[in-house]
């Protein structure tokens, strides 16, 4: 899962190729579980959480995807003006690039973790990477810190700071009620290195400590349903109904990401010596 994505992204970054075609390939929206719907592209997730008072949209993917995302939302019978809150998993161009456009079209309030506010409002990736990532800047209306709650229409999402991939990488937790009872849905922020410089990262000197703290925290987090920003990590676009209940998936993703991080850390450490 993560390994396949790392190989693809590494090749992409190394040769300066264009973005994967599935990132901008439209698909029809579909119901996941409870009040959660998928409205993103084939390769980049955007999640719509519905409530009696409107909707919350998590991630805007790329600006090129905005027309398809908006069409998906409207096809579910939800007006764009009903989207009241915009959230972000992390401030990278492939997940935050469409937020400014979506904010203009919906009038929703943009809320984001403190560590990613600079990147979102400047439209630039924060930290030293082996690639350049820019996107349309978006104004943040509410700055969040670890443990903050975002509530709309009786639905509450909790923001967990899980930095490393970005300084404000945010894992979102949402309880949903289904026939089997209340289940915990986790929208994990990416834990991959994905071009980040680990050794001597001048703009983000605490990146290694943040990654390691995030691995430890995520390893302890319970998740009945895992919905990542890159849907292939959890086969989101191919599952149906109870297939989304995968309580062993998050620990597996954490272990895989930690192993890949350790491998990259050893590689960079050896080069630096």
């Amino acid at each position: 899962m993560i390994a396949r994505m790392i190989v693809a992204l590494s090749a992409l970054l190394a040769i300066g190729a264009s973005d994967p075609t599935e990132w901008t390939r439209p698909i029809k929206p579909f119901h996941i579980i409870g009040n959660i719907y998928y409205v993103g592209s084939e390769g980049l997730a955007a999640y719509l959480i519905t409530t009696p008072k409107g909707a919350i949209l998590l991630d805007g993917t790329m600006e090129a995807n905005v027309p398809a995302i908006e069409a998906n939302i409207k096809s579910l019978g939800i007006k764009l003006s009903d989207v009241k809150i915009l959230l972000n998993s992390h401030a990278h161009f492939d997940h935050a690039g469409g937020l400014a456009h979506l904010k203009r079209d919906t009038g929703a309030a943009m809320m984001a973790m403190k560590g990613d506010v600079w990147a979102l409002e400047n439209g630039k990736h924060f930290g030293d990477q082996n690639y350049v990532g820019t996107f349309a800047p978006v104004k943040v209306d509410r700055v969040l810190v670890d443990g903050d709650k975002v509530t709309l229409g009786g639905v509450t999402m909790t923001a967990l700071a899980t930095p490393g991939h970005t300084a404000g990488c945010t894992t979102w937790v949402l309880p949903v009620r289904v026939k089997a009872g209340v289940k915990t849905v986790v929208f994990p922020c990416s834990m991959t290195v994905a071009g980040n410089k680990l050794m001597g990262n001048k703009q983000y000197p605490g990146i290694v400590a943040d990654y390691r703290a995030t691995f430890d925290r995520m390893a302890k987090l319970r998740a009945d349903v895992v919905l990542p920003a890159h849907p292939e990590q959890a086969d989101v676009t191919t599952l149906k109904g109870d297939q989304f209940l995968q309580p062993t998936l998050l620990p597996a993703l954490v272990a895989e990401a930690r192993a890949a991080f350790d491998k990259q850390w050893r590689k960079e450490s050896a080069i630096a010596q």
Side-chain angles (χ1 to χ4, degrees):
M1 291 171 282
I2 287 181
R4 294 198 304 269
M5 188 182 74
I6 291 173
V7 170
L9 285 177
S10 297
L12 180 71
L13 297 172
I15 64 177
S18 59
D19 302 322
T21 56
E22 61 268 24
W23 283 10
T24 52
R25 185 179 296 140
I27 61 172
K28 292 182 179 180
F30 59 89
H31 178 245
I32 297 176
I33 189 172
N35 57 336
I36 305 170
Y37 296 83
Y38 190 95
V39 294
S41 67
E42 181 181 315
L44 294 173
Y47 298 104
L48 191 73
I49 297 92
T50 61
T51 87
K53 297 295 184 179
I56 301 169
L57 181 63
L58 172 56
D59 279 348
T61 78
M62 301 168 71
E63 186 162 9
N65 289 334
V66 170
I69 290 173
E70 293 184 344
N72 281 346
I73 291 171
K74 289 187 282 189
S75 74
L76 295 173
I78 297 171
K79 296 183 293 185
L80 294 184
S81 59
D82 288 334
V83 179
K84 304 299 184 183
I85 297 173
L86 294 178
L87 303 177
N88 186 219
S89 59
H90 60 286
H92 278 168
F93 77 96
D94 48 337
H95 307 286
L99 291 173
H101 191 160
L102 286 161
K103 185 179 181 184
R104 289 195 302 271
D105 289 353
T106 63
M110 180 73 227
M111 304 182 186
M113 191 67 72
K114 181 179 180 181
D116 271 354
V117 171
W118 182 91
L120 289 169
E121 294 193 335
N122 287 275
K124 299 179 181 178
H125 291 187
F126 178 83
D128 301 330
Q129 305 101 15
N130 62 5
Y131 62 97
V132 177
T134 59
F135 53 92
V138 59
K139 179 70 173 63
V140 176
D141 301 298
R142 178 186 171 191
V143 177
L144 306 172
V145 297
D146 182 42
D148 271 353
K149 299 187 183 301
V150 172
T151 299
L152 179 70
V155 173
T156 297
M157 299 180 69
T158 302
L160 302 183
T162 50
H165 190 74
T166 68
C169 217
T170 308
T171 292
W172 292 93
V173 180
L174 172 67
V176 298
R177 182 172 293 280
V178 296
K179 290 181 180 180
V182 176
K183 300 296 180 181
T184 300
V185 178
V186 172
F187 304 86
C189 193
S190 182
M191 295 174 280
T192 62
V193 175
N196 280 324
K197 186 177 181 180
L198 300 180
M199 286 287 293
N201 195 314
K202 295 180 180 179
Q203 190 176 21
Y204 188 1
I207 189 170
V208 170
D210 279 354
Y211 264 114
R212 288 176 172 159
T214 286
F215 294 140
D216 290 342
R217 183 175 200 181
M218 294 295 286
K220 299 174 184 175
L221 188 62
R222 174 178 169 270
D224 299 303
V225 177
V226 179
L227 300 176
H230 285 277
E232 71 272 16
Q233 291 184 2
D235 296 324
V236 175
T237 60
T238 62
L239 301 180
K240 295 183 182 298
D242 289 346
Q243 293 176 339
F244 283 105
L245 298 174
Q246 302 181 83
T248 63
L249 178 57
L250 185 58
L253 292 177
V254 175
E256 193 174 357
R258 193 197 297 264
F261 168 88
D262 288 340
K263 181 179 180 180
Q264 181 63 25
W265 170 250
R266 290 192 297 269
K267 178 181 178 180
E268 292 188 29
S269 297
I271 293 172
Q273 291 179 354

